[in-house]
Amino acid sequence: MEDAAKSEPNDANAMALATVDAEGLPNVRIVLIKDIEDDAFVFYTNFESAKGRELDANGKAALVVHWKTTRRQVRVRGTVTREDGAVADAYYASRPLDSRLGAWASRQSEPLDSRETLIDRVEAARAEHGTDPARPPFWGGYRIRPESFEFWSDGAYRLHDREVWRRDPATGGWTAQRLYP
Ligand SMILES: Cc1cc2nc3c(=O)[nH]c(=O)nc-3n(C[C@H](O)[C@H](O)[C@H](O)COP(=O)(O)O)c2cc1C
């Protein structure tokens, strides 16, 4: 990602996050990777959004990052837990004030009748929460703990390199396997 950030026009940390709904129908959308911990990818969202409900219901997700400039793809599948403690508080506090108020104002994924309603809700949040709002209880992070990775890089004539790394549940160690492209 550091490498890609040098050449990507923007959002080298954008990932497509896949979840499944209660009927097993996949759902995918872009979110930003805000931290890469030793054992997890962290992103932030509204817990009551479609993705939040889907993640809370089954605790699993997949993600993919594609950098066009470096012609690389990274896929991850894993388990998901909420980050709704001090780490989420600190990240929330680091955001611009209007983003913090926007988190209060947006009932993410719910029907919205007009843009004016959203703007009114931001101003109502400003009046209520002032210049140092606390993190909303319905907003925070999720940690995706990888069970497997796939690293793909572009090769001439479609002879790409693909390698899957899987976590051994018994030992926690990783094994790598090359795949046909
Ligand atoms: C470049 C980009 C970055 C985004 N980053 C986030 C993010 O970090 N968190 C988030 O909740 N939504 C983010 N979104 C919006 C989501 O794609 C999505 O519209 C929203 O989270 C609602 O998804 P849901 O209804 O499936 O929960 C981003 C969208 C784009 C295009």
Side-chain angles (χ1 to χ4, degrees), residues 10-11 14-15 19 27-34 43-46 48-54 91 95 108-110 139:
N10 49 46
D11 295 336
M15 64 174 178
T19 54
N27 216 347
V28 63
R29 79 292 281 159
I30 302 291
V31 295
L32 298 178
I33 299 169
K34 285 296 172 179
F43 72 94
Y44 289 88
T45 193
N46 184 312
E48 294 169 5
S49 65
K51 80 182 85 49
R53 291 176 193 276
E54 290 163 6
Y91 174 66
R95 304 177 81 215
Q108 194 177 52
S109 313
E110 295 295 317
W139 191 98

Side-chain angles (χ1 to χ4, degrees), residues 102-123:
W104 273 106
S106 178
R107 303 171 67 192
Q108 194 177 52
S109 313
E110 295 295 317
L112 171 63
D113 61 356
S114 69
R115 187 160 181 88
E116 287 65 41
T117 300
L118 177 61
I119 304 301
D120 288 349
R121 284 180 59 84
V122 173
E123 292 316 313

